[in-house]
Amino acid sequence: MKVLIIENDVVFADMVRMYLAEEDFTVQTAFMAQDGLMSFHSFAPDVVLLALSLPDVDGITLCKTLRQQVQTPIIVVSINSRASEIIKAFTAGADDFLSRPFGMQELKARIMIAIRKSMQPPSTENGPEIPATEHFPQLQLDPVRRSISVNGDMVQTTFSEFELLKVFYHHPYRVFTRDELITIIRGIDYHVNERSIDVHIANLRKKIERDPKKPKYIQTVWGLGYRFAKP
């Protein structure tokens, strides 16, 4: 498994690189955003560890750039753990946010979960999948190609957004609580809060709804959660 570290703190990056190498990861490091972008395309990592503070381009901008091109899991690593920064990272397309300092075992666990989730579909224990094509002819989801189209136009999503939409798409009209959605897209051994679910929902609405402020597909069920319905 390959990990790309984009981090301006050379000492910290080297410490993480050595640890991950000892854990049998193949690791590359980049200390500037432009170098990181070039390394990404040449190295093709399974996951990216991305710092928010970079000398040439800020990490949020780089995260948006990467997310527009690929669905590779991106874990933002930062000493800034303010809620506003975490929300910015998720909004930009990050799949996870890890605040420094942290334990190396936790880092490895986050990486493994991110990679595993990128390779496997979410749990379908909530009931049998219902073919959604007849319900949503204007919205098409291809789980094999991991592609989404709205009225024939391709839509780019993050890994978490895609997994979230896939659950909705195959279980139309069912109400999911935030806790259920957290469990489905992250796994019970993974920490993610309700606020990040709301951010993912808001981002999905911007991408698939005609009017995100008056959503027709992803509907809020006040006091319960969300459901997916035909416009």
Side-chain angles (χ1 to χ4, degrees):
M1 290 176 286
K2 298 189 291 186
V3 180
L4 173 61
I5 303 171
I6 307 176
E7 169 66 64
N8 69 322
D9 186 332
V10 178
V11 175
F12 174 75
D14 197 47
M15 178 180 65
V16 173
R17 179 189 59 77
M18 288 189 293
Y19 170 79
L20 292 177
E22 290 176 354
E23 295 295 317
D24 296 324
F25 290 91
T26 302
V27 186
Q28 276 195 12
T29 56
F31 304 107
M32 299 182 71
Q34 292 300 322
D35 292 339
L37 191 58
M38 293 177 61
S39 295
F40 180 89
H41 291 296
S42 61
F43 183 52
D46 297 299
V47 66
V48 177
L49 301 182
L50 175 62
L52 287 181
S53 179
L54 297 169
D56 51 346
V57 177
D58 68 271
I60 292 296
T61 299
L62 180 57
C63 185
K64 290 179 181 178
T65 300
L66 288 171
R67 186 52 70 220
Q68 289 171 356
Q69 301 176 18
V70 297
Q71 292 185 0
T72 302
I74 300 172
I75 301 176
V76 167
V77 178
S78 176
I79 59 175
N80 188 343
S81 60
R82 293 198 303 268
S84 60
E85 292 302 307
I86 296 174
I87 291 170
K88 281 182 182 179
F90 279 119
T91 302
D95 293 282
D96 190 14
F97 190 103
L98 192 55
S99 300
R100 294 174 56 185
F102 52 77
M104 289 298 172
Q105 290 184 338
E106 179 183 5
L107 173 63
K108 179 184 176 182
R110 299 279 188 112
I111 290 173
M112 294 301 296
I113 291 169
I115 293 175
R116 185 175 73 242
K117 291 294 183 181
S118 71
M119 299 173 63
Q120 299 177 356
S123 170
T124 57
E125 294 178 357
N126 296 294
E129 291 191 351
I130 301 174
T133 303
E134 61 185 78
H135 297 288
F136 310 104
Q138 285 78 39
L139 177 63
Q140 297 295 310
L141 182 148
D142 186 335
V144 176
R145 296 182 176 85
R146 296 188 62 83
S147 65
I148 296 169
S149 64
V150 179
N151 295 319
D153 296 325
M154 299 301 295
V155 175
Q156 295 294 325
T157 62
T158 68
F159 169 77
S160 295
E161 290 167 3
F162 183 89
E163 295 298 309
L164 193 60
L165 184 59
K166 188 164 80 170
V167 170
F168 281 134
Y169 189 82
H170 289 295
H171 298 84
Y173 309 106
R174 171 180 170 166
V175 177
F176 288 91
T177 67
R178 288 177 175 82
D179 285 341
E180 286 177 321
L181 294 175
I182 289 170
T183 299
I184 289 169
I185 70 168
R186 292 297 190 188
I188 59 174
D189 58 344
Y190 194 77
H191 174 72
V192 63
N193 58 38
E194 291 186 354
R195 178 55 183 154
S196 63
I197 289 293
D198 292 337
V199 171
H200 289 319
I201 294 292
N203 288 340
L204 275 173
R205 284 171 169 167
K206 292 176 183 177
K207 295 173 180 180
I208 69 172
E209 301 280 1
R210 178 174 296 179
D211 183 355
K213 294 183 179 179
K214 297 179 181 179
K216 301 298 183 181
Y217 284 117
I218 305 177
Q219 301 174 352
T220 300
V221 181
W222 298 108
L224 292 176
Y226 298 99
R227 70 178 176 187
F228 204 58
K230 185 176 181 179

